[in-house]
Amino acid sequence: MRFIFTRRAYILLALGIVPLSLSWKIPELRTAVFAFDALLIAAAVADFVLSRKLPDEFSIRREFSARFAIGDAVKVRLIVQNLASRSFYIKVKDEYPADMVLADGREAEFAVPPQSDVEFFYHLTPPKRGSYEFGRTAVRYLSRLGLVWCQAELGSPQIVKVYPNMRRAREMELKALGARSFLAIQRRAVRRGEGREFESMRDYVRGDELRHISWTATARRSKLTTRQYQIERDQTVMIAIDAGRLMTGRINDETKFDTAVHASLALMSACNRAGDNCGLVVFGRRVRRFVPPKRGLEHIDSVLESLYDLEPDLIEPSYARGFQYIASNLKKRAFVVILTDVVDKDSSKDLIHSLRLLRPRHLPLVATLGDRDLSAAVSQVPGDIKDVFTQSAAEEIIHQRETALRMVETLGGLALDVTSRTLAPRLLESYLRVKERGLL
C-alpha cells in the first residue's frame, strides 16, 4: 500500500498504549487497547481506500521562466490546480535532472483550497549543453480523516534542451567592441572613404580623395561633388568549428569546443548587427552540421538549435572534407573563420594543404585555440629536470603552431593564436578590420 501514517495516527496509537500500564490490574483494558488499535488501523486502511485516488480535477503542470542555457539559472514553476470541491493538504517533490545544479529546495508543503491554483518554484542551473529529462512530480496528500498520507505521481516526463548561452555571447561582443562598435567603425570608414559601397553624394571638402569626385555630378551641379562610401553590407561570413580530438580539451570549466561555440555566437551577433550574412559548419571526420549563411533572430535560433546537442569526437578532424564542403556550398566570396587547434606537424600539414581548397575565392582566418598552461610553462623558470622536459615540450608545441600560422599567412589567409579569454575579442577585431579594409 502506498501510504504513510500521519502524526495524528501515531499520537492516537500512543494514547491507546498508555492504558496497557494498568492492564496488570485490569485485564479487560488489554483487550480494549488491542481492540482500539485494531479499529484505528482499520480506520486508517479505510481512510486510505477512500482517499487513494486524487480526483481528475486535481493536476500539476510544470513551466519554465526562460529557455535553458549553459550557466544561467532558470525558474521552474510548479502550478498545482485544484478544481475539485474540497481542499487538499499536500507535499510536493519534483524530479529534476540530476546533472543540473539546484539552487534552493525542490520540496514544499501547503494547502490547496478548492477551485484555486497554488504555485511553487525553485531554480536550476544547467552546467552543459544537451537534452535533459524531468520526471513526474511526486505528491503526498492528506487523507479525508487525516490518518494517512497517500502518495501519487502527477504530470508527465518532460524533455528540455540546454542551449549555448546567447546572453554570454552578446556580452562578449559588447565587451570586445566597446567604443569600436560597428556604427563607430562605419562612421570612421565613411569619413576616411575606406568602404566600397556607395552611400550618397555630398559637396567636396578639402582633403577628399580626387578618385572619389563624381565628374558627372560636378558638371551637372557646376560644383565639385564627391561620392561618399560606407562599409559593405550583405557580405558573407562562414564560421567553421573543428569538432575533433583536440577540441575536447578542457580549459577551466569548459571544453575548447564550447569556448569556440560561444565565440562563434558573438561573431554571429556582430555580423547580424552589421547587416552581413553568417553561416556555420561543424566538422570532424565528416561534416556534422551546416547552417547556410543568413541573418536575423530566427537564423540565430536555428544555429542554437543545431548546436545544443553537439559534442566533439575523440578522432582527428578531416580539414579537407570540411573545407571542400564549404567551397562547394559557398559560391559567393566569403570570410571563412576556422576555429581549431594544432599541436603537431601532421595536423598542421593537413590544415595548410586543405586551405588551398578555399583560396583564392574565399578569405580564410585560422584561429588556433591554445592552452594557457603552455604559455605559463614556458614563462616559468624550471625547478627540476621534469620541469625542463615539460617546458621543452611546450616550446615545441608553440613553435609548431607559430610555424603553421605563418604558412597560413603565406597562402594569403589570416591567422590568430589565441587563448580562451582572447578568442572572442580577437575574432571580432579581425572581422571589423576585414570590413574596414574592404578585404572582401
Side-chain angles (χ1 to χ4, degrees):
M1 292 185 180
R2 301 183 62 187
F3 69 86
I4 299 174
F5 288 109
T6 63
R7 182 181 299 177
R8 178 184 300 178
Y10 285 119
I11 292 175
L12 292 174
L13 282 172
L15 291 177
I17 294 174
V18 171
L20 287 177
S21 60
L22 303 175
S23 62
W24 62 278
K25 290 184 178 180
I26 310 175
E28 292 79 5
L29 282 177
R30 190 180 307 158
T31 304
V33 167
F34 288 148
F36 174 79
D37 290 343
L39 288 174
L40 183 60
I41 294 174
V45 172
D47 193 16
F48 166 73
V49 171
L50 293 174
S51 309
R52 70 179 183 275
K53 190 174 185 306
L54 280 169
D56 294 337
E57 295 83 5
F58 192 94
S59 62
I60 294 180
R61 70 179 185 273
R62 185 188 295 113
E63 295 181 355
F64 307 107
S65 62
R67 181 166 57 184
F68 281 93
I70 300 175
D72 278 358
V74 174
K75 180 191 287 188
V76 182
R77 297 170 59 222
L78 290 177
I79 303 173
V80 183
Q81 186 177 53
N82 180 20
L83 300 179
S85 57
R86 72 182 186 92
S87 63
F88 289 88
Y89 190 81
I90 66 172
K91 297 178 181 179
V92 295
K93 182 177 182 180
D94 199 21
E95 183 181 341
Y96 68 94
D99 291 336
M100 292 192 181
V101 179
L102 180 66
D104 38 31
R106 57 165 175 155
E107 302 179 27
E109 182 176 343
F110 49 82
V112 186
Q115 305 297 322
S116 64
D117 297 347
V118 176
E119 294 185 4
F120 162 66
F121 65 87
Y122 60 97
H123 295 84
L124 289 175
T125 303
K128 59 181 181 179
R129 296 174 291 105
S131 293
Y132 295 82
E133 183 176 3
F134 284 81
R136 304 183 72 189
T137 303
V139 179
R140 285 181 181 175
Y141 57 96
L142 201 58
S143 61
R144 293 177 179 271
L145 299 179
L147 297 177
V148 295
W149 289 102
C150 302
Q151 299 186 101
E153 290 185 345
L154 298 180
S156 57
Q158 197 169 356
I159 302 291
V160 297
K161 300 175 181 178
V162 177
Y163 296 92
N165 195 325
M166 196 63 205
R167 176 190 57 79
R168 171 186 165 188
R170 290 198 176 103
E171 288 177 355
M172 293 164 63
E173 174 200 357
L174 295 175
K175 184 178 180 180
L177 297 182
R180 295 192 65 197
S181 65
F182 181 77
L183 293 177
I185 291 295
Q186 187 178 22
R187 286 194 295 269
R188 188 169 67 198
V190 167
R191 185 168 61 249
R192 289 163 49 186
E194 294 200 10
R196 294 189 300 173
E197 183 177 296
F198 175 77
E199 195 239 351
S200 62
M201 295 282 194
R202 62 171 172 81
D203 293 341
Y204 175 82
V205 178
R206 179 174 295 180
D208 285 346
E209 295 186 32
L210 293 179
R211 63 190 178 95
H212 289 166
I213 294 176
S214 173
W215 297 109
T216 55
T218 297
R220 189 167 54 250
R221 299 178 64 212
S222 301
K223 188 176 182 180
L224 278 176
T225 305
T226 186
R227 288 183 289 266
Q228 185 167 260
Y229 296 88
Q230 64 181 358
I231 290 180
E232 293 83 355
R233 300 171 68 87
D234 200 29
Q235 292 183 320
T236 302
V237 177
M238 175 60 70
I239 302 172
I241 304 179
D242 172 9
R245 176 179 61 85
L246 293 178
M247 299 299 281
T248 62
R250 301 190 72 85
I251 301 177
N252 297 327
D253 295 329
E254 67 179 8
T255 63
K256 292 182 180 181
F257 182 80
D258 276 318
T259 301
V261 164
H262 286 99
S264 300
L265 292 173
L267 177 57
M268 190 167 292
S269 177
C271 293
N272 187 57
R273 294 174 188 271
D276 288 335
N277 298 312
C278 188
L280 177 78
V281 60
V282 181
F283 66 95
R285 294 304 298 174
R286 57 182 178 81
V287 174
R288 300 177 59 188
R289 295 287 191 278
F290 176 69
V291 182
K294 291 182 182 179
R295 62 174 176 265
L297 295 179
E298 291 184 359
H299 176 61
I300 292 179
D301 284 342
S302 67
V303 171
L304 292 173
E305 190 69 31
S306 69
L307 289 172
Y308 85 92
D309 60 346
L310 198 59
E311 295 294 341
D313 294 326
L314 290 172
I315 55 175
E316 297 297 332
S318 173
Y319 294 106
R321 290 179 182 174
F323 296 168
Q324 182 62 56
Y325 191 90
I326 293 173
S328 301
N329 286 274
L330 289 183
K331 303 305 180 183
K332 183 179 178 181
R333 179 172 168 82
F335 180 41
V336 181
V337 179
I338 303 156
L339 305 181
T340 184
D341 192 15
V342 291
V343 294
D344 54 40
K345 293 181 180 179
D346 293 336
S347 59
S348 300
K349 289 179 180 178
D350 188 20
L351 172 63
I352 299 302
H353 179 74
S354 302
L355 274 178
R356 304 178 191 276
L357 297 169
L358 300 176
R359 294 291 297 160
R361 176 183 291 273
H362 305 295
L363 174 63
L365 181 149
V366 177
T368 58
L369 185 55
D371 193 336
R372 184 183 60 185
D373 295 335
L374 292 179
S375 301
V378 171
S379 61
Q380 294 175 358
V381 177
D384 52 30
I385 190 64
K386 180 180 179 181
D387 292 340
V388 172
F389 283 111
T390 300
Q391 190 175 86
S392 176
E395 289 178 347
E396 178 65 20
I397 293 173
I398 292 174
H399 173 71
Q400 291 185 13
R401 182 183 285 125
E402 291 175 349
T403 301
L405 296 181
R406 283 196 297 268
M407 294 184 66
V408 170
E409 293 174 345
T410 61
L411 290 174
L414 305 176
L416 294 175
D417 187 15
V418 294
T419 63
S420 60
R421 292 180 57 187
T422 60
L423 175 60
R426 295 285 299 279
L427 279 183
L428 292 166
E429 289 173 5
S430 299
Y431 165 68
L432 292 181
R433 194 177 301 116
V434 168
K435 296 284 291 182
E436 186 178 2
R437 295 179 180 177
L439 298 180
L440 289 179

